[in-house]
Amino acid sequence: PALWFEKDVVMPQVQASVWKNRTSGEKVLFLTNIAETQAEVKLTLYLSYYGISEKQLPEGFVVGNTATLSTTMLPLECRAIELFSKTR
């Protein structure tokens, strides 16, 4: 069965979530562009909320009290970014 709505459903073009491995504690940031058009993304992570230190972030993040990632996502692109639980 299909879902039918009387009005348009509006949601952000890019969805983001952080997942944590229950056993190892490693974290992964998932970004998904759900649209058929390119998207400019600026994502801010509050490091203390996710229990992440600056040393755990891959290149590309601008760090302060928060970590900000600015990137371009292709249409329908899904990206996984590892946020390491161990320093490298």
Side-chain angles (χ1 to χ4, degrees):
L3 292 175
W4 297 100
F5 297 93
E6 292 181 13
K7 296 182 180 182
D8 289 339
V9 175
V10 179
M11 57 194 306
Q13 179 174 347
V14 176
Q15 304 290 310
S17 62
V18 174
W19 291 57
K20 179 180 177 182
N21 181 305
R22 198 178 291 172
T23 306
S24 69
E26 292 178 330
K27 298 171 185 89
V28 177
L29 167 65
F30 288 96
L31 296 170
T32 304
N33 179 0
I34 61 172
E36 294 179 352
T37 57
Q38 183 171 298
E40 299 298 320
V41 179
K42 185 174 182 180
L43 176 74
T44 300
L45 290 174
Y46 296 89
L47 300 181
S48 61
Y49 179 82
Y50 292 103
I52 301 168
S53 73
E54 285 184 40
K55 295 176 185 176
Q56 294 171 298
L57 295 171
E59 290 183 26
F61 282 86
V62 176
V63 179
N65 291 331
T66 59
T68 302
L69 174 66
S70 296
T71 189
T72 301
M73 294 192 71
L74 298 174
L76 304 174
E77 179 184 2
C78 183
R79 195 180 299 176
I81 302 169
E82 293 180 276
L83 306 173
F84 299 98
S85 60
K86 298 177 183 142
T87 57
R88 295 185 144 199

